[in-house]
Amino acid sequence: NGGNNWVTVNSEPTLQLWGLCFVNSLTGFTSGSTGRIMKTTNAGVNWVNVTSPTQTSLNSIYFINENTGFISGYAIALKTTDQGASWANMNAPFISGFENFREIYFFNENLGLYVSDAGRIVKTTNSGATWNVMNSGTTQSLFGVKFIDAQTGYACGNAGAIVRTTDGGENWFGQTSPLNEILTDVWFTNANTGFISSWSGKILKTTNGGVNWFTQIPLIPLTRELNDIQMIDANTGYIAGWTNTFLKT
């Protein structure tokens, strides 16, 4: 009902779930602690475990179609081409086993990238056969990344870091942020209008492609972390955060 009510469909007190992606109205995937990957084929009513090649925490899921998807986690990136039935390690480069690949994004089966808490943006053009470290424009930890087209994308992270690329992720340049705190996720609805969620419960908005960002405060002020943001269209969007926080606009 458009987010007016929420019900619990799966609950494991010791399990943390960090990634969520639906490929259609019925089929979705989630990932989390201890390498857990789960799948639903009935719109989330039931979830079943799928075989995972790792026991490390998994953060972000992104599918480009119903068959092909990607997951990032601690020093690992995974790929499936069979609707999540099996996942293969893409051998993504890492500084140490503690480097957290916070979010992964793919344009197609071959071209994609991930951002990490080491301030790195790492890109592949051949489905992970080789990876190249891009000029990220920052040394801060990066948490979220989104593209509005094949050339223009944004990433955000620690200490208010916001970076932008206009050449498909080859080079990134800093933008001015009004907040000096962890920025957790970013989403653009068009070339000009975008939103960023923050650690302290604030929301940033731009209407000029990130040239300027201003702070929005939820109707009920929050002091808890907002983790993930997704806009359905120019007006309707959702944010999820800690302690069962769900926001809607």
Side-chain angles (χ1 to χ4, degrees):
N1 58 7
N4 290 324
N5 302 104
W6 296 83
V7 295
T8 300
V9 294
N10 185 83
S11 179
E12 297 181 46
T14 60
L15 177 65
Q16 294 178 321
L17 297 174
W18 297 99
L20 179 67
C21 181
F22 271 75
V23 298
N24 55 46
S25 60
L26 296 176
T27 304
F29 298 85
T30 187
S31 60
S33 55
T34 65
R36 181 73 67 90
I37 305 172
M38 302 170 70
K39 179 179 181 179
T40 180
T41 55
N42 56 9
V45 175
N46 302 105
W47 294 84
V48 296
N49 294 326
V50 299
T51 302
S52 172
T54 183
Q55 291 187 327
T56 191
S57 292
L58 300 174
N59 296 313
S60 168
I61 305 181
Y62 189 81
F63 272 75
I64 58 173
N65 54 46
E66 294 190 1
N67 296 310
T68 304
F70 305 87
I71 295 178
S72 64
Y74 275 87
I76 196 169
L78 306 177
K79 178 182 178 180
T80 182
T81 56
D82 55 12
Q83 301 180 13
S86 62
W87 294 84
N89 191 338
M90 301 179 72
N91 297 313
F94 52 87
I95 296 174
S96 76
F98 297 103
E99 184 181 6
N100 192 350
F101 303 167
R102 292 283 185 173
E103 187 157 20
I104 194 166
Y105 183 93
F106 267 73
F107 301 91
N108 53 50
E109 189 164 340
N110 294 311
L111 179 60
L113 52 78
Y114 62 83
V115 300
S116 86
D117 63 359
R120 301 197 308 153
I121 299 177
V122 186
K123 181 179 178 180
T124 180
T125 58
N126 52 18
S127 198
T130 58
W131 296 86
N132 296 293
V133 179
M134 302 293 100
N135 173 20
S136 70
T138 183
T139 58
Q140 299 294 337
S141 298
L142 295 173
F143 285 71
V145 61
K146 294 292 186 303
F147 277 75
I148 60 176
D149 56 40
Q151 298 299 315
T152 305
Y154 297 81
C156 62
N158 193 39
I162 305 172
V163 292
R164 180 178 187 248
T165 180
T166 57
D167 58 9
E170 295 292 319
N171 296 280
W172 298 76
F173 302 93
Q175 294 190 316
T176 301
S177 170
L179 297 177
N180 184 24
E181 61 181 80
I182 296 175
L183 305 179
T184 54
D185 199 20
V186 56
W187 192 281
F188 270 72
T189 58
N190 56 48
N192 293 313
T193 304
F195 302 87
I196 291 177
S197 53
S198 82
W199 181 269
S200 67
K202 300 181 182 70
I203 303 164
L204 298 182
K205 182 179 180 180
T206 180
T207 56
N208 56 10
V211 176
N212 304 106
W213 293 86
F214 58 90
T215 304
Q216 293 185 313
I217 305 296
L219 293 179
I220 302 175
L222 303 172
T223 57
R224 65 196 70 166
E225 179 181 352
L226 302 176
N227 292 317
D228 192 72
I229 183 169
Q230 181 168 348
M231 299 295 294
I232 306 303
D233 54 40
N235 296 308
T236 304
Y238 300 87
I239 298 178
W242 280 19
T243 60
N244 295 322
T245 300
F246 289 96
L247 304 180
K248 178 185 177 183
T249 184

Coordinates of all heavy atoms in Angstrom, one line a residue, residues 95-186:
I95 N 43.0 -4.3 -1.0 CA 44.2 -3.9 -0.3 C 44.5 -4.9 0.8 O 45.7 -5.3 1.1 CB 44.1 -2.5 0.3 CG1 44.0 -1.4 -0.9 CG2 45.3 -2.1 1.2 CD1 43.7 0.0 -0.4
S96 N 43.5 -5.3 1.5 CA 43.6 -6.3 2.6 C 42.2 -7.0 2.7 O 41.2 -6.5 2.1 CB 43.9 -5.7 3.9 OG 42.8 -5.0 4.5
G97 N 42.2 -8.1 3.4 CA 40.9 -8.8 3.6 C 39.9 -8.0 4.3 O 38.7 -8.4 4.4
F98 N 40.3 -6.9 4.9 CA 39.3 -6.0 5.6 C 38.8 -4.9 4.8 O 37.9 -4.2 5.3 CB 40.0 -5.5 6.9 CG 40.4 -6.5 7.9 CD1 41.8 -6.8 8.0 CD2 39.5 -7.1 8.7 CE1 42.2 -7.8 8.9 CE2 39.9 -8.1 9.6 CZ 41.3 -8.4 9.7
E99 N 39.2 -4.8 3.6 CA 38.7 -3.7 2.7 C 37.2 -4.1 2.3 O 37.0 -5.2 1.8 CB 39.5 -3.5 1.4 CG 39.0 -2.4 0.6 CD 39.8 -2.2 -0.7 OE1 40.7 -3.0 -1.0 OE2 39.5 -1.2 -1.4
N100 N 36.3 -3.2 2.6 CA 34.9 -3.4 2.4 C 34.5 -2.8 1.1 O 34.5 -1.6 0.9 CB 34.1 -2.8 3.5 CG 32.7 -3.3 3.5 OD1 32.2 -3.9 2.6 ND2 32.0 -3.0 4.6
F101 N 34.1 -3.6 0.1 CA 33.5 -3.1 -1.2 C 32.0 -2.7 -0.9 O 31.2 -3.6 -0.9 CB 33.6 -4.2 -2.2 CG 35.0 -4.7 -2.5 CD1 35.1 -5.8 -3.3 CD2 36.1 -4.1 -2.1 CE1 36.4 -6.3 -3.6 CE2 37.4 -4.5 -2.3 CZ 37.5 -5.7 -3.1
R102 N 31.8 -1.5 -0.6 CA 30.5 -1.0 -0.1 C 29.4 -1.2 -1.1 O 28.3 -1.6 -0.7 CB 30.6 0.4 0.4 CG 31.5 0.6 1.6 CD 30.8 0.2 2.9 NE 31.6 0.5 4.0 CZ 31.2 0.3 5.3 NH1 30.0 -0.1 5.5 NH2 31.9 0.6 6.3
E103 N 29.6 -0.8 -2.3 CA 28.5 -0.9 -3.3 C 29.1 -1.2 -4.7 O 30.1 -0.7 -5.0 CB 27.7 0.4 -3.3 CG 26.5 0.3 -4.2 CD 25.4 1.3 -3.9 OE1 25.7 2.3 -3.3 OE2 24.2 1.0 -4.2
I104 N 28.3 -2.0 -5.4 CA 28.7 -2.4 -6.7 C 27.7 -2.0 -7.7 O 26.5 -2.0 -7.4 CB 29.0 -4.0 -6.8 CG1 29.7 -4.4 -8.0 CG2 27.7 -4.7 -6.6 CD1 30.3 -5.8 -8.0
Y105 N 28.1 -1.6 -8.9 CA 27.2 -1.1 -10.0 C 27.7 -1.6 -11.3 O 28.9 -1.4 -11.6 CB 27.1 0.4 -9.9 CG 26.1 1.0 -10.9 CD1 24.8 1.2 -10.5 CD2 26.5 1.2 -12.2 CE1 23.9 1.7 -11.4 CE2 25.6 1.8 -13.1 CZ 24.3 2.0 -12.7 OH 23.4 2.5 -13.6
F106 N 26.8 -2.2 -12.1 CA 27.2 -2.6 -13.5 C 26.2 -2.0 -14.5 O 25.0 -1.9 -14.3 CB 27.1 -4.2 -13.6 CG 28.5 -4.8 -13.3 CD1 29.0 -4.8 -12.0 CD2 29.2 -5.3 -14.3 CE1 30.2 -5.4 -11.7 CE2 30.5 -5.9 -14.1 CZ 31.0 -5.9 -12.8
F107 N 26.8 -1.6 -15.6 CA 26.1 -1.0 -16.7 C 25.5 -2.2 -17.6 O 24.4 -2.1 -18.1 CB 26.9 -0.1 -17.6 CG 27.5 1.0 -16.9 CD1 28.8 0.9 -16.2 CD2 26.8 2.2 -16.8 CE1 29.3 2.0 -15.6 CE2 27.4 3.3 -16.1 CZ 28.6 3.2 -15.5
N108 N 26.3 -3.2 -17.8 CA 26.0 -4.4 -18.6 C 26.8 -5.5 -18.0 O 27.5 -5.4 -17.0 CB 26.2 -4.1 -20.1 CG 27.6 -3.6 -20.4 OD1 28.6 -4.2 -19.9 ND2 27.7 -2.6 -21.1
E109 N 26.8 -6.6 -18.7 CA 27.5 -7.8 -18.2 C 29.0 -7.6 -18.1 O 29.6 -8.3 -17.2 CB 27.2 -9.0 -19.1 CG 27.6 -10.3 -18.5 CD 27.0 -11.6 -19.1 OE1 26.0 -11.4 -19.8 OE2 27.6 -12.6 -19.0
N110 N 29.5 -6.7 -18.8 CA 31.0 -6.6 -18.8 C 31.5 -5.3 -18.1 O 32.6 -5.4 -17.5 CB 31.5 -6.5 -20.3 CG 31.3 -7.8 -21.0 OD1 31.7 -8.8 -20.6 ND2 30.7 -7.7 -22.2
L111 N 30.7 -4.3 -18.1 CA 31.2 -3.0 -17.6 C 30.6 -2.7 -16.3 O 29.4 -2.5 -16.1 CB 30.8 -1.9 -18.6 CG 31.2 -0.4 -18.3 CD1 32.7 -0.3 -18.1 CD2 30.7 0.5 -19.3
G112 N 31.5 -2.5 -15.3 CA 31.0 -2.2 -13.9 C 32.1 -1.7 -13.0 O 33.2 -1.7 -13.4
L113 N 31.7 -1.3 -11.8 CA 32.7 -0.9 -10.8 C 32.1 -1.1 -9.4 O 31.0 -1.3 -9.2 CB 33.0 0.6 -11.1 CG 31.9 1.6 -11.2 CD1 31.3 2.0 -9.9 CD2 32.3 2.9 -12.0
Y114 N 33.0 -0.9 -8.5 CA 32.6 -0.9 -7.1 C 33.4 0.2 -6.3 O 34.5 0.7 -6.8 CB 32.9 -2.3 -6.4 CG 34.3 -2.7 -6.3 CD1 35.2 -2.3 -5.3 CD2 34.8 -3.6 -7.3 CE1 36.5 -2.7 -5.3 CE2 36.1 -4.1 -7.2 CZ 36.9 -3.6 -6.2 OH 38.2 -4.1 -6.2
V115 N 32.8 0.7 -5.2 CA 33.5 1.6 -4.3 C 33.8 1.0 -3.0 O 33.0 0.1 -2.6 CB 32.6 2.9 -4.1 CG1 32.3 3.6 -5.5 CG2 31.3 2.6 -3.4
S116 N 34.8 1.4 -2.3 CA 35.2 0.8 -1.1 C 35.5 1.7 0.0 O 35.6 2.9 -0.2 CB 36.5 -0.1 -1.4 OG 37.7 0.7 -1.2
D117 N 35.6 1.2 1.2 CA 35.9 2.0 2.4 C 37.4 2.4 2.4 O 37.8 3.1 3.4 CB 35.5 1.3 3.7 CG 36.2 0.1 3.9 OD1 37.1 -0.4 3.1 OD2 35.9 -0.6 5.0
A118 N 38.2 2.1 1.4 CA 39.5 2.5 1.3 C 39.6 3.7 0.4 O 40.7 4.2 0.0 CB 40.4 1.4 0.8
G119 N 38.4 4.3 0.0 CA 38.4 5.4 -0.9 C 38.7 5.1 -2.3 O 38.9 5.9 -3.2
R120 N 38.6 3.8 -2.7 CA 38.9 3.4 -4.0 C 37.6 3.2 -4.9 O 36.6 2.7 -4.4 CB 39.7 2.1 -4.0 CG 41.0 2.1 -3.2 CD 41.9 1.0 -3.6 NE 41.3 -0.3 -3.5 CZ 41.6 -1.4 -4.2 NH1 42.6 -1.3 -5.0 NH2 41.0 -2.5 -4.0
I121 N 37.8 3.5 -6.2 CA 36.8 3.1 -7.2 C 37.5 2.3 -8.2 O 38.4 2.7 -8.8 CB 36.2 4.4 -7.8 CG1 35.5 5.3 -6.8 CG2 35.2 4.0 -8.9 CD1 34.9 6.6 -7.3
V122 N 37.0 1.0 -8.3 CA 37.7 0.0 -9.1 C 36.7 -0.4 -10.2 O 35.6 -0.8 -10.0 CB 38.1 -1.2 -8.3 CG1 39.0 -2.1 -9.1 CG2 38.9 -0.7 -7.1
K123 N 37.2 -0.4 -11.5 CA 36.4 -0.6 -12.6 C 36.8 -1.8 -13.5 O 38.0 -2.1 -13.6 CB 36.4 0.7 -13.5 CG 35.5 0.6 -14.7 CD 35.6 2.0 -15.5 CE 34.7 2.0 -16.7 NZ 34.8 3.3 -17.4
T124 N 35.9 -2.5 -14.1 CA 36.2 -3.6 -15.1 C 35.4 -3.3 -16.4 O 34.3 -2.8 -16.3 CB 35.8 -5.0 -14.5 OG1 36.2 -5.9 -15.5 CG2 34.4 -5.1 -14.2
T125 N 36.0 -3.7 -17.5 CA 35.3 -3.6 -18.8 C 35.2 -4.9 -19.4 O 34.7 -5.0 -20.5 CB 36.1 -2.6 -19.7 OG1 37.5 -3.2 -19.9 CG2 36.2 -1.2 -19.2
N126 N 35.6 -6.0 -18.7 CA 35.5 -7.3 -19.3 C 35.0 -8.3 -18.2 O 35.5 -9.5 -18.1 CB 36.9 -7.8 -19.8 CG 38.0 -7.6 -18.8 OD1 37.7 -7.5 -17.6 ND2 39.2 -7.6 -19.2
S127 N 34.0 -7.9 -17.5 CA 33.3 -8.8 -16.5 C 34.2 -9.3 -15.5 O 34.0 -10.4 -15.0 CB 32.6 -9.9 -17.3 OG 31.6 -10.5 -16.4
G128 N 35.2 -8.5 -15.1 CA 36.0 -8.9 -14.0 C 37.3 -9.7 -14.3 O 38.0 -10.1 -13.4
A129 N 37.5 -9.9 -15.6 CA 38.8 -10.6 -16.0 C 40.0 -9.7 -15.6 O 41.0 -10.2 -15.2 CB 38.8 -10.8 -17.5
T130 N 39.8 -8.4 -15.7 CA 40.8 -7.5 -15.2 C 40.1 -6.3 -14.6 O 39.0 -6.0 -14.9 CB 41.7 -6.9 -16.4 OG1 40.9 -6.3 -17.4 CG2 42.5 -8.1 -17.0
W131 N 40.8 -5.7 -13.6 CA 40.2 -4.6 -12.9 C 41.2 -3.4 -12.9 O 42.4 -3.7 -12.8 CB 39.9 -4.9 -11.4 CG 38.8 -6.0 -11.3 CD1 39.0 -7.3 -11.3 CD2 37.4 -5.7 -11.0 NE1 37.8 -8.0 -11.1 CE2 36.8 -7.0 -10.9 CE3 36.6 -4.6 -10.9 CZ2 35.4 -7.2 -10.7 CZ3 35.3 -4.7 -10.7 CH2 34.7 -6.0 -10.6
N132 N 40.7 -2.2 -12.9 CA 41.6 -1.0 -12.9 C 41.1 0.0 -11.8 O 39.9 0.2 -11.7 CB 41.7 -0.3 -14.2 CG 42.3 -1.2 -15.3 OD1 43.5 -1.5 -15.3 ND2 41.5 -1.7 -16.2
V133 N 42.1 0.5 -11.0 CA 41.7 1.5 -10.0 C 41.6 2.9 -10.7 O 42.5 3.3 -11.4 CB 42.8 1.5 -8.9 CG1 42.5 2.6 -7.9 CG2 42.9 0.1 -8.3
M134 N 40.5 3.5 -10.5 CA 40.2 4.8 -11.1 C 40.7 5.9 -10.1 O 41.0 5.7 -9.0 CB 38.7 5.0 -11.3 CG 38.1 4.0 -12.2 SD 38.7 4.0 -13.9 CE 39.9 2.7 -14.0
N135 N 40.8 7.1 -10.7 CA 41.1 8.3 -9.9 C 39.8 8.7 -9.2 O 38.9 9.3 -9.8 CB 41.6 9.4 -10.8 CG 41.8 10.8 -10.0 OD1 41.9 10.8 -8.8 ND2 41.8 11.9 -10.8
S136 N 39.7 8.4 -7.9 CA 38.4 8.5 -7.2 C 38.2 10.0 -6.7 O 37.1 10.3 -6.4 CB 38.4 7.6 -6.0 OG 39.3 8.1 -5.0
G137 N 39.2 10.8 -6.7 CA 39.1 12.2 -6.3 C 39.0 12.4 -4.8 O 38.7 13.5 -4.4
T138 N 39.2 11.3 -4.1 CA 39.1 11.4 -2.6 C 39.9 10.3 -1.9 O 40.1 9.3 -2.6 CB 37.6 11.3 -2.1 OG1 37.5 11.5 -0.7 CG2 37.0 10.0 -2.5
T139 N 40.3 10.5 -0.7 CA 40.9 9.5 0.1 C 39.9 9.0 1.2 O 40.3 8.1 2.0 CB 42.2 10.0 0.8 OG1 41.8 11.1 1.6 CG2 43.2 10.4 -0.2
Q140 N 38.7 9.5 1.2 CA 37.7 9.1 2.2 C 37.0 7.8 1.8 O 37.0 7.5 0.6 CB 36.6 10.2 2.3 CG 37.2 11.6 2.8 CD 37.7 11.5 4.2 OE1 37.3 10.7 5.0 NE2 38.5 12.5 4.5
S141 N 36.6 7.1 2.8 CA 35.8 5.9 2.6 C 34.6 6.2 1.8 O 33.9 7.2 2.0 CB 35.4 5.3 3.9 OG 36.5 4.9 4.7
L142 N 34.3 5.4 0.8 CA 33.1 5.6 0.0 C 32.0 4.5 0.3 O 32.4 3.3 0.4 CB 33.5 5.5 -1.5 CG 34.4 6.7 -2.0 CD1 34.9 6.5 -3.4 CD2 33.7 8.0 -1.8
F143 N 30.8 4.9 0.3 CA 29.7 4.0 0.7 C 28.7 3.7 -0.4 O 28.2 2.6 -0.5 CB 29.0 4.6 1.9 CG 29.7 4.5 3.2 CD1 30.8 5.3 3.5 CD2 29.3 3.7 4.2 CE1 31.5 5.2 4.7 CE2 29.9 3.6 5.4 CZ 31.1 4.3 5.7
G144 N 28.4 4.7 -1.2 CA 27.3 4.6 -2.2 C 27.8 5.1 -3.5 O 28.6 6.0 -3.6
V145 N 27.2 4.5 -4.6 CA 27.5 5.0 -6.0 C 26.3 4.7 -6.8 O 25.6 3.7 -6.7 CB 28.7 4.3 -6.6 CG1 28.6 2.8 -6.6 CG2 29.1 4.8 -7.9
K146 N 25.9 5.7 -7.7 CA 24.8 5.5 -8.6 C 25.2 6.3 -9.9 O 25.8 7.3 -9.9 CB 23.5 6.1 -8.1 CG 23.0 5.3 -6.9 CD 22.5 4.0 -7.3 CE 21.8 3.3 -6.1 NZ 22.6 3.2 -4.9
F147 N 24.7 5.8 -11.0 CA 24.9 6.5 -12.3 C 23.5 6.9 -12.9 O 22.5 6.1 -12.7 CB 25.6 5.6 -13.3 CG 27.1 5.6 -13.2 CD1 27.7 4.9 -12.2 CD2 27.9 6.3 -14.1 CE1 29.1 4.9 -12.0 CE2 29.2 6.3 -14.0 CZ 29.8 5.6 -12.9
I148 N 23.5 8.0 -13.5 CA 22.2 8.5 -14.1 C 22.2 8.2 -15.6 O 21.2 8.2 -16.3 CB 22.0 10.0 -13.9 CG1 23.1 10.8 -14.5 CG2 21.8 10.2 -12.4 CD1 22.8 12.3 -14.3
D149 N 23.4 7.9 -16.2 CA 23.5 7.5 -17.6 C 24.9 6.8 -17.7 O 25.6 6.6 -16.7 CB 23.3 8.6 -18.6 CG 24.2 9.8 -18.4 OD1 25.4 9.6 -18.1 OD2 23.8 10.9 -18.5
A150 N 25.3 6.5 -18.9 CA 26.6 5.8 -19.1 C 27.8 6.6 -18.7 O 28.9 6.0 -18.5 CB 26.7 5.3 -20.6
Q151 N 27.7 7.9 -18.7 CA 28.8 8.7 -18.4 C 28.8 9.4 -17.1 O 29.9 9.6 -16.5 CB 28.9 9.8 -19.5 CG 29.1 9.3 -20.9 CD 30.3 8.5 -21.1 OE1 31.4 9.0 -20.6 NE2 30.2 7.4 -21.7
T152 N 27.6 9.8 -16.5 CA 27.6 10.6 -15.3 C 27.1 9.8 -14.1 O 26.1 9.1 -14.1 CB 26.6 11.7 -15.6 OG1 26.9 12.5 -16.7 CG2 26.6 12.7 -14.3
G153 N 28.0 9.8 -13.1 CA 27.7 9.1 -11.9 C 28.1 9.9 -10.6 O 28.9 10.8 -10.7
Y154 N 27.7 9.5 -9.5 CA 28.0 10.1 -8.2 C 28.3 9.0 -7.2 O 27.8 7.9 -7.2 CB 26.8 10.9 -7.7 CG 26.4 12.1 -8.6 CD1 25.6 11.9 -9.7 CD2 26.9 13.4 -8.3 CE1 25.3 12.9 -10.5 CE2 26.5 14.4 -9.1 CZ 25.7 14.2 -10.2 OH 25.4 15.3 -11.1
A155 N 29.2 9.4 -6.3 CA 29.6 8.5 -5.1 C 29.7 9.4 -3.9 O 29.9 10.6 -4.0 CB 30.9 7.8 -5.4
C156 N 29.4 8.8 -2.7 CA 29.4 9.5 -1.5 C 30.0 8.7 -0.4 O 30.1 7.4 -0.5 CB 28.0 10.0 -1.1 SG 26.9 8.6 -0.8
G157 N 30.5 9.3 0.7 CA 31.1 8.6 1.7 C 31.4 9.4 3.0 O 30.7 10.3 3.3
N158 N 32.6 9.0 3.6 CA 32.9 9.6 4.9 C 33.3 11.1 4.8 O 33.7 11.6 3.8 CB 34.1 8.8 5.4 CG 34.4 9.1 6.9 OD1 33.5 9.2 7.7 ND2 35.7 9.2 7.2
A159 N 33.1 11.8 5.9 CA 33.5 13.2 6.1 C 32.8 14.1 5.0 O 33.4 15.0 4.5 CB 35.0 13.4 6.0
G160 N 31.6 13.7 4.6 CA 30.8 14.5 3.7 C 31.3 14.4 2.2 O 30.9 15.2 1.4
A161 N 32.1 13.4 1.9 CA 32.6 13.2 0.6 C 31.5 13.0 -0.5 O 30.7 12.1 -0.3 CB 33.7 12.1 0.5
I162 N 31.5 13.8 -1.5 CA 30.7 13.6 -2.7 C 31.6 13.8 -3.9 O 32.3 14.8 -4.0 CB 29.5 14.6 -2.8 CG1 28.7 14.6 -1.5 CG2 28.6 14.3 -4.0 CD1 27.6 15.7 -1.4
V163 N 31.6 12.8 -4.8 CA 32.4 12.9 -6.0 C 31.6 12.6 -7.2 O 30.6 11.8 -7.1 CB 33.7 12.0 -6.0 CG1 34.6 12.4 -4.9 CG2 33.2 10.5 -5.7
R164 N 31.9 13.2 -8.4 CA 31.1 13.0 -9.6 C 32.0 12.7 -10.8 O 33.2 13.2 -10.8 CB 30.4 14.4 -9.9 CG 29.6 14.4 -11.1 CD 28.9 15.8 -11.2 NE 27.9 15.8 -12.3 CZ 28.1 16.6 -13.4 NH1 29.2 17.3 -13.6 NH2 27.1 16.6 -14.4
T165 N 31.5 11.9 -11.7 CA 32.2 11.5 -12.9 C 31.4 11.9 -14.1 O 30.1 11.8 -14.0 CB 32.6 10.1 -13.0 OG1 33.3 9.8 -14.2 CG2 31.4 9.2 -12.9
T166 N 32.0 12.3 -15.2 CA 31.3 12.6 -16.4 C 31.9 11.8 -17.6 O 31.6 12.1 -18.7 CB 31.3 14.1 -16.7 OG1 32.6 14.6 -16.8 CG2 30.5 14.9 -15.7
D167 N 32.8 10.9 -17.2 CA 33.4 10.1 -18.3 C 33.3 8.6 -18.0 O 34.3 7.8 -18.3 CB 34.9 10.5 -18.5 CG 35.7 10.4 -17.2 OD1 35.2 9.8 -16.2 OD2 36.9 10.8 -17.2
G168 N 32.2 8.2 -17.5 CA 31.9 6.7 -17.2 C 32.7 6.1 -16.1 O 32.9 4.9 -16.1
G169 N 33.2 7.0 -15.2 CA 33.9 6.5 -14.0 C 35.4 6.5 -14.1 O 36.1 6.0 -13.2
E170 N 36.0 7.0 -15.2 CA 37.4 7.0 -15.4 C 38.0 8.0 -14.4 O 39.1 7.8 -13.8 CB 37.8 7.4 -16.8 CG 37.4 6.4 -17.8 CD 38.2 5.1 -17.7 OE1 39.4 5.1 -17.5 OE2 37.6 4.0 -17.8
N171 N 37.4 9.2 -14.2 CA 37.9 10.2 -13.3 C 36.8 10.8 -12.5 O 35.6 10.9 -13.0 CB 38.6 11.4 -14.1 CG 39.8 10.9 -14.9 OD1 40.9 10.8 -14.3 ND2 39.7 10.7 -16.2
W172 N 37.1 11.1 -11.3 CA 36.0 11.6 -10.3 C 36.5 12.9 -9.7 O 37.7 13.1 -9.4 CB 35.8 10.6 -9.3 CG 35.2 9.3 -9.8 CD1 35.9 8.3 -10.4 CD2 33.9 8.9 -9.7 NE1 35.1 7.3 -10.7 CE2 33.8 7.6 -10.3 CE3 32.7 9.4 -9.2 CZ2 32.6 6.9 -10.4 CZ3 31.5 8.7 -9.3 CH2 31.5 7.4 -9.9
F173 N 35.6 13.9 -9.5 CA 36.0 15.2 -9.0 C 35.0 15.5 -7.8 O 33.8 15.2 -7.8 CB 35.9 16.2 -10.0 CG 36.7 16.0 -11.2 CD1 36.2 15.3 -12.3 CD2 38.1 16.3 -11.2 CE1 37.1 15.0 -13.4 CE2 38.9 16.1 -12.3 CZ 38.4 15.4 -13.4
G174 N 35.6 16.1 -6.8 CA 34.8 16.4 -5.6 C 33.8 17.5 -5.7 O 34.0 18.4 -6.6
Q175 N 32.7 17.4 -5.0 CA 31.7 18.4 -4.9 C 31.6 18.9 -3.4 O 32.0 18.2 -2.5 CB 30.3 17.9 -5.4 CG 30.3 17.5 -6.8 CD 28.9 17.3 -7.3 OE1 28.1 16.6 -6.7 NE2 28.6 17.8 -8.5
T176 N 31.1 20.1 -3.3 CA 31.0 20.7 -1.9 C 29.8 20.1 -1.2 O 28.6 20.1 -1.7 CB 30.9 22.2 -2.0 OG1 32.0 22.7 -2.7 CG2 30.8 22.8 -0.6
S177 N 30.0 19.6 0.0 CA 28.9 19.1 0.9 C 28.7 20.0 2.1 O 29.6 20.5 2.7 CB 29.3 17.7 1.3 OG 28.4 17.2 2.3
P178 N 27.4 20.2 2.5 CA 27.1 21.0 3.7 C 27.3 20.2 5.0 O 27.2 20.7 6.1 CB 25.7 21.4 3.5 CG 25.1 20.3 2.7 CD 26.2 19.8 1.8
L179 N 27.6 18.9 4.8 CA 27.7 18.0 6.0 C 29.1 17.4 6.1 O 29.7 17.0 5.0 CB 26.7 16.9 6.0 CG 25.2 17.2 6.0 CD1 24.4 16.0 5.9 CD2 24.9 18.0 7.3
N180 N 29.7 17.4 7.3 CA 31.0 16.7 7.5 C 30.8 15.5 8.3 O 31.2 15.4 9.5 CB 31.9 17.7 8.2 CG 33.3 17.1 8.3 OD1 33.7 16.2 7.6 ND2 34.1 17.5 9.3
E181 N 30.1 14.5 7.7 CA 29.8 13.2 8.3 C 29.7 12.1 7.3 O 29.8 12.4 6.1 CB 28.5 13.3 9.1 CG 27.3 13.7 8.2 CD 26.0 13.8 9.1 OE1 25.8 14.9 9.7 OE2 25.2 12.9 9.1
I182 N 29.4 10.9 7.7 CA 29.3 9.8 6.7 C 28.0 10.0 5.9 O 26.9 10.1 6.4 CB 29.2 8.5 7.5 CG1 30.6 8.2 8.2 CG2 29.0 7.3 6.5 CD1 30.6 7.0 9.0
L183 N 28.2 10.0 4.6 CA 27.1 10.0 3.7 C 26.9 8.6 3.1 O 27.9 8.0 2.5 CB 27.3 11.0 2.5 CG 27.6 12.4 3.0 CD1 27.8 13.4 1.8 CD2 26.5 13.0 3.9
T184 N 25.8 8.0 3.3 CA 25.7 6.5 3.1 C 25.2 6.0 1.8 O 25.6 5.0 1.3 CB 24.7 6.0 4.2 OG1 23.5 6.7 4.1 CG2 25.3 6.1 5.6
D185 N 24.4 6.8 1.1 CA 23.9 6.4 -0.2 C 23.4 7.6 -1.0 O 23.1 8.6 -0.5 CB 22.7 5.4 0.0 CG 22.5 4.6 -1.3 OD1 23.4 4.4 -2.1 OD2 21.3 4.0 -1.4
V186 N 23.4 7.4 -2.4 CA 23.0 8.5 -3.3 C 22.0 7.9 -4.3 O 22.1 6.8 -4.7 CB 24.3 9.1 -3.9 CG1 25.1 8.0 -4.6 CG2 23.9 10.2 -4.9

